Amino acid sequence: MRKNTFFTGQPILGQLLSLIPRYKVDQLSQKYHSNRYCKKFRTYDHLVTMLFSSFHHCTSLRELITGLQASSTRLG
């Protein structure tokens, strides 16, 4: 199945996340037991947070949280 390459109006992070299959991240997290001790903050959430932080050059946790909350509707 081909991925849709029509990305008008999506932020760059949303475009990148649409190219990473979530089921693959879930498979790898099950294989390596990365969600073993997690209650809410899963591996995919960590991936999104780290990508957002690196793209927006966040220097503090408060800046990261504010930026994620501001763009939460566009990221899905």
Side-chain angles (χ1 to χ4, degrees):
M1 185 161 111
R2 298 189 70 171
K3 293 280 185 180
N4 187 5
T5 57
F6 185 68
F7 292 126
T8 303
Q10 287 185 350
I12 292 175
L13 183 60
Q15 293 176 26
L16 182 65
L17 289 174
S18 70
L19 296 175
I20 300 172
R22 187 176 180 135
Y23 76 90
K24 196 66 165 171
V25 175
D26 291 337
Q27 281 179 347
L28 291 171
S29 68
Q30 285 179 353
K31 180 179 178 181
Y32 295 107
H33 306 289
S34 63
N35 287 333
R36 177 179 285 172
Y37 301 110
C38 297
K39 300 255 186 222
K40 293 185 179 186
F41 194 67
R42 302 279 183 188
T43 303
Y44 189 77
D45 302 329
H46 192 255
L47 174 69
V48 171
T49 304
M50 292 296 107
L51 287 174
F52 184 87
S53 174
S54 63
F55 283 143
H56 290 278
H57 304 288
C58 296
T59 56
S60 68
L61 186 59
R62 179 172 291 175
E63 185 179 354
L64 177 65
I65 291 170
T66 305
L68 282 171
Q69 286 175 341
S71 62
S72 66
T73 57
R74 292 182 287 163
L75 293 177

